[in-house]
Amino acid sequence: HRDLCRKKMSADLRRERQRSKLNVEQLTNVFDGGEDVTNKRRMMVDVVKSDPVFDISRRHFMSREEALVNAAKRSMGFVKHMRKMDLVPESLKGRFLMLALNDELPVNLQHVMFIPTLESQGTDEQRKKWLPLALNYKILGAYAQTELGHGTFIRGLETTATYDPNTEEFVMNSPTLTAIKWWPGA
């Protein structure tokens, strides 16, 4: 990204920056909270830049289905790197990895809705069972309240979820176009 910016920079701006006495690296370290923190942030940026699954250059040219599949792949890439580096989202490197992605991922709901709900509304027994699984991405929470034709009008939702004891799964049925989950997250 920095190289691309340098190529597009106007000659006047380049000349003014070269005349500046400002130590950009030192200022960057101040903004980041220290040289060590800057290095950790840059390490996470390099992780994202080196993994093709995080390339979002085609994002604006994808169909809705392609965008959803791509978001799921990026989410799994995020989880893979979190596990590989033994990070938690609340850690400094975990936050830097999320920021380096420069994109909202469906898996973000895991940390902002699902885990907090388990923590605040689960019984001690439920927290003991489910939190370790959620924190290690062994289970993922999902949120699909809104439908294209109904927004947040819960009583108007058309989708049903029926438990199938043979497969031990829920069978989802969105019977009409207006029942599509337009803003899903997992």
Side-chain angles (χ1 to χ4, degrees):
H1 179 70
R2 264 186 256 161
D3 295 335
L4 181 62
C5 289
R6 284 189 187 118
K7 288 177 187 173
K8 291 185 175 185
M9 188 185 311
S10 74
D12 291 337
L13 182 56
R14 184 177 296 115
R15 187 176 54 253
E16 290 302 316
R17 285 187 173 174
Q18 288 171 347
R19 286 198 285 184
S20 173
K21 304 279 188 243
L22 180 69
N23 183 325
V24 175
E25 185 65 20
Q26 191 175 31
L27 185 59
T28 299
N29 292 338
V30 169
F31 283 145
D32 281 343
E35 184 178 351
D36 183 53
V37 179
T38 297
N39 291 335
K40 288 176 183 174
R41 179 182 54 78
R42 286 181 174 153
M43 184 177 89
M44 293 300 105
V45 169
D46 289 342
V47 165
V48 170
K49 285 170 47 176
S50 69
D51 190 334
V53 77
F54 297 128
D55 178 14
I56 59 171
S57 62
R58 287 195 59 250
R59 174 175 44 188
H60 301 295
F61 305 101
M62 293 180 181
S63 68
R64 175 169 161 66
E65 184 177 335
E66 289 171 325
L68 289 172
V69 168
N70 189 265
K73 288 178 181 178
R74 287 191 326 275
S75 290
M76 294 313 301
F78 170 78
V79 170
K80 178 187 86 172
H81 286 291
M82 292 293 283
R83 285 180 173 161
K84 181 178 171 183
M85 294 182 283
D86 196 27
L87 299 177
V88 294
E90 296 76 25
S91 71
L92 189 61
K93 285 184 180 178
R95 287 196 307 265
F96 283 149
L97 181 60
M98 284 183 171
L99 289 172
L101 292 171
N102 193 28
D103 197 14
E104 289 293 323
L105 298 179
V107 77
N108 291 355
L109 284 178
Q110 183 83 351
H111 308 288
V112 299
M113 292 182 75
F114 185 58
I115 290 172
T117 301
L118 291 174
E119 291 171 332
S120 65
Q121 297 180 22
T123 64
D124 288 341
E125 181 181 353
Q126 290 168 332
R127 284 192 295 271
K128 184 178 178 183
K129 178 178 180 173
W130 298 110
L131 274 175
L133 297 172
L135 290 167
N136 289 297
Y137 306 101
K138 301 288 185 191
I139 60 169
L140 295 176
Y143 183 75
Q145 169 189 319
T146 52
E147 292 181 346
L148 183 59
H150 304 92
T152 57
F153 176 55
I154 303 296
R155 287 180 287 175
L157 297 182
E158 299 176 64
T159 300
T160 59
T162 306
Y163 183 72
D164 181 348
N166 295 326
T167 61
E168 296 184 344
E169 297 174 333
F170 282 93
V171 177
M172 303 298 292
N173 180 31
S174 294
T176 66
L177 180 62
T178 58
I180 190 171
K181 303 298 173 264
W182 197 254
W183 303 275

